[in-house]
């Protein structure tokens, strides 16, 4: 019984000391950073692709439908309007996080759903 208790405690102590995986995405907070890391690159996922153009346009194909829209940088958020096929997704301002090869968009100024795309 004593041995089992020590073993269980040791396991819990090991779990408590194991490092927690941190979110590896670094938040982009300036238009300059966004322009240098994301603008002009092809963003891909299983749903398709899109390109955020320097001209302020968005173009691509998502869910087998043409995607078109516009974007601007506004006070630390990427704000976009987009239409995918006949579906108008409207406007939304999002936080942007990046790694070396991925971009994470978090809707509703960082409080909503997240979508991750690969940078190509």
């Amino acid at each position: 019984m004593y041995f089992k208790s020590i073993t269980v405690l040791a396991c819990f102590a090991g779990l408590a000391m194991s490092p927690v995986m941190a979110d590896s995405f670094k938040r982009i907070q300036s238009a300059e950073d966004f322009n240098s890391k994301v603008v002009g690159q092809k963003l891909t996922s299983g749903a398709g692709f899109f390109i955020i153009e320097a001209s302020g346009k968005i173009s691509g194909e998502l869910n087998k439908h043409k995607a078109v829209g516009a974007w601007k940088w506004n006070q630390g958020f990427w704000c976009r309007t987009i239409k995918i096929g006949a579906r108008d997704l409207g406007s939304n301002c999002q936080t942007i996080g990046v790694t070396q090869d991925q971009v994470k968009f978090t809707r509703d100024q960082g409080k909503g759903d997240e979508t991750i795309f690969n940078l190509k």
Side-chain angles (χ1 to χ4, degrees):
M1 179 71 172
Y2 177 74
F3 180 72
K4 282 185 180 180
S5 296
I6 295 294
T7 303
V8 171
L9 287 173
C11 287
F12 282 119
L15 289 174
M17 290 187 285
S18 65
V20 176
M21 294 299 283
D23 187 352
S24 60
F25 288 90
K26 183 177 187 254
R27 176 150 180 215
I28 291 179
Q29 300 204 31
S30 71
E32 294 78 21
D33 204 16
F34 182 75
N35 289 332
S36 71
K37 293 180 178 167
V38 180
V39 170
Q41 296 204 48
K42 189 173 187 178
L43 303 171
T44 64
S45 75
F49 77 94
F50 70 101
I51 299 170
I52 298 170
E53 301 172 17
S55 66
K57 294 183 181 181
I58 301 169
S59 63
E61 183 178 299
L62 295 167
N63 300 318
K64 300 182 181 180
H65 297 284
K66 183 178 179 180
V68 295
W71 71 274
K72 66 180 179 177
W73 192 261
N74 187 17
Q75 298 179 354
F77 299 101
W78 180 69
C79 299
R80 60 89 177 131
T81 58
I82 194 164
K83 200 172 179 184
I84 301 172
R87 186 171 174 213
D88 187 348
L89 299 181
S91 298
N92 194 277
C93 291
Q94 305 176 9
T95 58
I96 306 295
V98 294
T99 66
Q100 183 177 352
D101 58 356
Q102 293 184 313
V103 178
K104 177 173 67 174
F105 297 84
T106 307
R107 290 176 197 74
D108 304 325
Q109 295 184 333
K111 298 174 187 145
D113 293 334
E114 297 176 344
T115 305
I116 296 174
F117 285 87
N118 298 308
L119 285 167
K120 296 269 181 167

